[in-house]
Amino acid sequence: MIPFSLETILYTGAIGLVVIGAFGLVLSTHLLRMVLALSVAEAGGNVLIVLAGYRGEAVAPILGYAAPGTAMVDPVPQALVLTAIVIGVGVQALAVAVLVRIYRAYGTLELRVLVERMQGEISEAAGIPRSSSTHAPAGERPLPPVPALLSHQARGVRP
Amino acid sequence: MTAVNHAWAVNPTLPIVLPLLAAFLLQPLARVSEPLARILGPVVLVACGWLIYQLWLAHGGEPVAVAIGSFAAPLGIVLYVDRIALLFAIAVPTFALLFWPWSVSGERAARESALLLLLVASVTGLALSGDIFNIYVFYELAAVASFGLVTVHATGRAYVATIRYLLQSAFGSLLALVGIAILYTKTGTLNLAQLSQVAPTTLHDAMGLASFALMLVGFGVKGELFPVNTWVPEVYATAPARVSALLAGRVHDALFERLMP
C-alpha cells in the first residue's frame, strides 16, 4: 500500500488536468469543446504553479497575519499565477470571439463539416466542381466514423 | 554581468514602453486626426531603432543587467542587455518598418498599425528580458498581437487558421508555463542569470530535463507552426529564435555543460 500524501494527490490532480485538457484538444472534433479543453488544461497548469510555492504547514504570506518568524507560503508563485490566469482568460475570450466569427462565416463549429465547407469554398473560388480536387484519390475515400456526426446523419439533422 | 544600475544615457525600457504606449494611443488618435495617426507608428519605430542604437553606443554591446523599479535581481525584474539582445531588438522595429501596412487606409490601418506596434513592443521586451516569467508574459503578448494580425483579412478561412493557431499556441505556452513552474520548484529563482549559475547543480536530473523539454516544446510550437500570415513572418520569426537563443544561451548551455564531463 503506497501512502498518498496530500501533495502527491494535488500534483497528480494538477498534471491530470493538463493531460485531460491535452486529450480533449486532440480528440474532440468541435471547436468550442477544444477551447473548453484548453481552459481545463490551463487550470491544471495554474494549480501546478501554486503548488510550486506550497508548503503544508505554512501560513498565507500576509503582513501581520501570523506571528513573525512563522513559516510562510512562497508568495512569488501566487503573484505569477495571477498573471497566468489573467493571460489565460484573455486568450480564451479572444478564442471565443474568433469562434463567433467562424460560426457566422460557415454556420458550424464541427471540424469535419467546417473543413468540407472550407474546401467547397476554395473549389468554388477556383471555379471547379466541389468534389473534383486533383489531390483526391479516385473513388470513394472512407472517413473513420465519428459518433457525434453519425448520430446527426442518422437522425437526418443537418449538423 | 553585474546587477548594478549603471548611469544610463538611455533607459532600456523605453524601446518597450514607447511602442506599447503608441499602440494604445493610436486608435483614439485616428479618430481625431488620421494623418497624424498614420505617421505616429513609423515615427515611434524609428525612435525605437535610434534608442537601441544609442544603447549600443553607450555600452559597446557589453552585457549589462538593469533592474526595473530599482528592485534587485532575486525579487525584482531585470532587463538583460547584451549584444545579441540589442541585435534582435534593433531587427524588430526595422522589420516592422519594412512590413508596415502603408497601402491600407481608414480604420483598418489604425487597427493594423496598433497590433504591429504591440507586436514590436512585446518582441523587443522578449529580446531584452532577463526573467523567464517575463519572457512568458511578453511571449503571450506577442501571441495575442499576432492572432489579431492573422485575422486582419477578416475572411472565414483567416478565422479558422487563427483558431487553429491560437489553440496550438495557447497549449504550447501552457506547456512552457508548466516547465517554468517545475523550474521554479527546483531552483527558487526565475532570473536567467541566476538560473545559469544554479542550473548545473539543481537541474541536473530528470525533473530539470523535463522542465527544459516542456519549455522548448512550448516556446517552439510558435516558431514552427505559423499559418497564414502574409506580411509579418519575418518580424515574428525573431521572437521564437530569440527565446530559443535565451533559453539555449542560459539554461540549455548550463545543462549541457554539466551533462558533458
Side-chain angles (χ1 to χ4, degrees):
Chain A
M1 186 73 193
I2 310 154
F4 288 113
S5 69
L6 177 64
E7 290 205 353
T8 317
I9 295 168
L10 287 176
Y11 270 106
T12 316
I15 293 167
L17 277 178
V18 175
V19 172
I20 289 170
F23 271 93
L25 266 179
V26 174
L27 295 180
S28 58
T29 57
H30 193 277
L31 282 175
L32 186 61
R33 284 189 200 155
M34 290 170 84
V35 174
L36 289 178
L38 186 70
S39 78
V40 169
E42 252 164 26
N46 291 339
V47 171
L48 209 62
I49 301 177
V50 173
L51 279 176
Y54 176 77
R55 283 169 65 189
E57 74 286 358
V59 297
I62 303 167
L63 194 66
Y65 178 74
T70 320
M72 289 191 314
V73 170
D74 187 355
V76 174
Q78 301 188 355
L80 299 186
V81 85
L82 200 60
T83 315
I85 289 171
V86 171
I87 289 174
V89 169
V91 170
Q92 279 157 32
L94 192 64
V96 173
V98 175
L99 285 190
V100 169
R101 293 300 185 91
I102 292 176
Y103 193 81
R104 280 192 193 148
Y106 292 105
T108 182
L109 291 176
E110 190 68 48
L111 269 182
R112 284 266 159 76
V113 186
L114 191 63
V115 168
E116 226 165 70
R117 288 186 191 170
M118 274 174 76
Q119 272 167 358
E121 193 188 56
I122 292 168
S123 339
E124 237 166 62
I128 50 173
R130 281 193 164 218
S131 54
S132 76
S133 165
T134 49
H135 299 295
E140 285 289 303
R141 180 162 51 167
L143 284 173
V146 179
L149 211 57
L150 283 179
S151 64
H152 272 305
Q153 284 164 350
R155 275 179 292 164
V157 183
R158 192 165 153 268
Chain B
M1 193 192 313
T2 50
V4 183
N5 202 340
H6 286 267
W8 278 90
V10 182
N11 192 325
T13 48
L14 277 181
I16 305 170
V17 174
L18 274 182
L20 205 58
L21 206 63
F24 291 109
L25 274 179
L26 219 136
Q27 298 264 18
L29 195 63
R31 294 279 160 84
V32 180
S33 143
E34 204 167 304
L36 207 59
R38 282 183 77 82
I39 60 160
L40 177 67
V43 166
V44 165
L45 288 181
V46 170
C48 282
W50 183 79
L51 280 173
I52 294 162
Y53 180 63
Q54 289 298 311
L55 266 176
W56 183 292
L57 285 188
H59 249 271
E62 188 188 320
V64 175
V66 180
I68 300 175
S70 65
F71 285 103
L75 287 176
I77 296 165
V78 298
L79 289 183
Y80 182 76
V81 183
D82 64 0
R83 205 169 289 177
I84 190 159
L86 285 176
L87 188 67
F88 275 98
I90 205 162
V92 173
T94 313
F95 277 113
L97 271 179
L98 285 179
F99 289 89
W100 193 256
W102 301 105
S103 53
V104 290
S105 60
E107 205 183 323
R108 223 184 88 183
R111 214 179 303 153
E112 262 178 61
S113 315
L115 283 168
L116 197 56
L117 282 173
L118 203 59
L119 194 67
V120 168
S122 48
V123 178
T124 311
L126 210 55
L128 296 179
S129 179
D131 180 282
I132 203 158
F133 193 77
N134 239 22
I135 285 176
Y136 165 76
V137 172
F138 280 125
Y139 171 83
E140 280 291 297
L141 198 58
V144 170
S146 56
F147 300 152
L149 285 175
V150 178
T151 58
V152 132
H153 293 296
T155 60
R157 248 174 293 161
Y159 288 125
V160 173
T162 307
I163 194 74
R164 181 182 297 169
Y165 171 36
L166 192 150
L167 287 170
Q168 284 168 353
S169 154
F171 193 73
S173 53
L174 171 76
L175 288 185
L177 197 61
V178 170
I180 291 170
I182 295 173
L183 202 68
Y184 187 79
T185 317
K186 295 290 290 180
T187 62
T189 181
L190 293 167
N191 187 294
L192 283 176
Q194 284 188 336
L195 273 179
S196 69
Q197 282 166 12
V198 297
T201 47
T202 52
L203 287 178
H204 180 226
D205 58 2
M207 287 282 277
L209 206 61
S211 94
F212 176 69
L214 280 170
M215 278 191 288
L216 189 70
V217 171
F219 287 134
V221 160
K222 181 157 297 168
E224 292 154 7
L225 304 174
F226 196 85
V228 289
N229 211 320
T230 51
W231 51 276
V232 258
E234 274 79 8
V235 178
Y236 186 63
T238 56
R242 179 59 197 148
V243 173
S244 312
L246 266 171
L247 283 174
R250 304 262 167 280
V251 185
H252 195 191
D253 270 9
L255 261 176
F256 274 94
E257 262 170 43
R258 190 67 189 84
L259 288 175
M260 314 271 264

